[in-house]
Amino acid sequence: MSDQGSALGARLRERDLSAAPATLNLLESTTAADREQAAALLHEVSPAALGQEAPGHIVGITGPPGAGKSTLLSALLHAWRVQAKSVAMLAVDPSSRQSGGSLLGDRARIDFDPSDRGVFIRSTAAGERLGGLAWGTRAAAQALAAAFDIVVIETVGVGQAETDIADVADTVAVVVQPGSGDALQFLKSGIMEIPDVLVVTKSDLGQVAISARRDLSAALRSLGSRATPVVAVSSLPPASGVEELAAALEEHRKNLDLSERRLRARRAGALTEFANEHGLQGVRALGGRTAAQTWLAEQDQGLDEATLVNLLEGRMGR
Ligand SMILES: Nc1nc2c(ncn2[C@@H]2O[C@H](COP(=O)(O)OP(=O)(O)O)[C@@H](O)[C@H]2O)c(=O)[nH]1
Ligand SMILES: [Mg+2]
């Protein structure tokens, strides 16, 4: 048992998809012993160990409840499987903590073949901390990206949610449904950061969807962000726009400086985790967030997030 973490990490590195369930169990555990094993796992799949960034595409899908994210993910999953891409889906469910029973409900909404070994789906509770993704979810996405072609994280929210998910995702897609003015207002007022891809769902609703797409495109143009694609999809049969969306996501990834984005994401994630553990006082002991970020950048040659947190803790102790 003592090298469970490194053994799992090695399996992921060899792209053994069957290591996914045990990986998630380990990363979600909060016991000290498991945390140590989790650190060993992450070390095995760090860029330093892999000799490159993990090859999988980490996609964040976020948007308000009811916008059609889960239905869209079922359709996307199908499109990706047709392309023979292996897919891991992590659904972060903010309601599962209270209701306890919504885990199965959420899983049922993603339509997939349970005997398909190229697919792994896990719903996780949102976690105790305020805002942001739980450490386990970020770590899981980073680890699974070593083995799966695509790792998708579904989170609920609009406003802060896409900033948080940018701490781990290579590509962030914000999903809005026609007729909901929130995203438009948030975008115009700067509350929402400009996503990599904007998705208008339920395009089968007709004119209201066309208007939503036009308004969002206009808002993006006025913000000087001409290049951000706005894709309209209908996820109900006969689905439409889903292949276009898959292509837009892939296009974004192709044009991305992956190692730059991942380095930045891991540093931001490590700092967030450090701040959770040690509070404002801890961050102050490092000379503030910006100073800590700069210092981390100097130490970092493709280290995993757990190691980065350890480095920050060592520096605080000095
Ligand atoms: N008309 C239409 N309804 C949709 C579409 N996609 C999802 N819905 C419906 O919208 C509701 C919320 O969908 P869901 O995927 O659970 O949204 P989520 O909360 O964002 O995951 C459900 O009743 C879906 O059937 C679509 O493309 N067209
Ligand atoms: Mg959902």
Short mmCIF file of all heavy atoms in Angstrom, two decimals, residues 69-71 106 109 154 156, ligand 2:
data_model
loop_
_atom_site.label_atom_id
_atom_site.label_comp_id
_atom_site.label_asym_id
_atom_site.label_seq_id
_atom_site.Cartn_x
_atom_site.Cartn_y
_atom_site.Cartn_z
N LYS A 69 -26.14 22.33 -19.69
CA LYS A 69 -24.76 21.81 -19.69
C LYS A 69 -24.71 20.29 -19.77
O LYS A 69 -23.98 19.72 -20.57
CB LYS A 69 -24.01 22.27 -18.42
CG LYS A 69 -23.85 23.76 -18.29
CD LYS A 69 -23.15 24.15 -17.00
CE LYS A 69 -23.95 23.78 -15.76
NZ LYS A 69 -25.28 24.41 -15.67
N SER A 70 -25.47 19.63 -18.88
CA SER A 70 -25.38 18.17 -18.82
C SER A 70 -25.89 17.53 -20.12
O SER A 70 -25.30 16.58 -20.63
CB SER A 70 -26.16 17.62 -17.63
OG SER A 70 -25.61 18.14 -16.43
N THR A 71 -26.97 18.08 -20.65
CA THR A 71 -27.52 17.56 -21.91
C THR A 71 -26.50 17.76 -23.03
O THR A 71 -26.27 16.87 -23.85
CB THR A 71 -28.84 18.28 -22.25
OG1 THR A 71 -29.63 18.37 -21.07
CG2 THR A 71 -29.62 17.53 -23.31
N ASP A 106 -27.69 13.27 -11.27
CA ASP A 106 -26.85 13.97 -12.22
C ASP A 106 -26.22 13.01 -13.21
O ASP A 106 -26.10 13.29 -14.38
CB ASP A 106 -25.75 14.74 -11.47
CG ASP A 106 -25.38 15.99 -12.24
OD1 ASP A 106 -26.25 16.85 -12.37
OD2 ASP A 106 -24.24 16.06 -12.73
N ARG A 109 -28.35 11.99 -16.00
CA ARG A 109 -28.58 12.97 -17.05
C ARG A 109 -27.51 12.92 -18.13
O ARG A 109 -27.71 13.42 -19.22
CB ARG A 109 -28.65 14.37 -16.45
CG ARG A 109 -30.05 14.94 -16.60
CD ARG A 109 -30.16 16.31 -15.97
NE ARG A 109 -30.32 16.21 -14.53
CZ ARG A 109 -29.80 17.07 -13.68
NH1 ARG A 109 -29.07 18.07 -14.10
NH2 ARG A 109 -29.99 16.93 -12.40
N GLU A 154 -17.46 19.95 -15.45
CA GLU A 154 -18.70 20.74 -15.49
C GLU A 154 -18.90 21.41 -14.15
O GLU A 154 -18.93 20.74 -13.11
CB GLU A 154 -19.91 19.83 -15.81
CG GLU A 154 -21.23 20.60 -15.81
CD GLU A 154 -22.48 19.69 -15.81
OE1 GLU A 154 -22.33 18.47 -15.91
OE2 GLU A 154 -23.59 20.24 -15.68
N VAL A 156 -21.14 24.69 -12.01
CA VAL A 156 -22.32 25.52 -12.08
C VAL A 156 -21.95 26.94 -11.66
O VAL A 156 -21.21 27.14 -10.71
CB VAL A 156 -23.41 25.00 -11.12
CG1 VAL A 156 -24.64 25.89 -11.16
CG2 VAL A 156 -23.79 23.58 -11.50
MG MG B 2 -26.04 19.63 -14.96
#
